[in-house]
Amino acid sequence: MFHGEVQTITGPEADRIRAELADVIRDLLLWAAGQDHGGGAARDGGAAEEGEAA
């Protein structure tokens, strides 16, 4: 179970954090899209990639 506290921020600090989050989400989406191009093979070492012996 997670318990936390939310602190609302506004103004320039909120804009900066929102922009950073947008950059991170974009990078993650691009990374995830690249993971689909291996024909289903995991690129984290979990499964043999194309052309490698299992």
Side-chain angles (χ1 to χ4, degrees):
M1 175 178 251
F2 175 79
H3 177 76
E5 187 175 315
V6 176
Q7 184 177 27
T8 303
I9 58 171
T10 59
E13 183 69 7
D15 293 337
R16 183 188 63 79
I17 292 172
R18 192 175 297 115
E20 286 182 18
L21 281 171
D23 289 344
V24 169
I25 291 169
R26 183 198 65 233
D27 291 346
L28 284 170
L29 288 171
L30 290 170
W31 173 82
Q35 296 298 303
D36 292 338
H37 294 287
R43 296 186 185 268
D44 62 0
E49 291 191 28
E50 193 174 318
E52 291 182 6

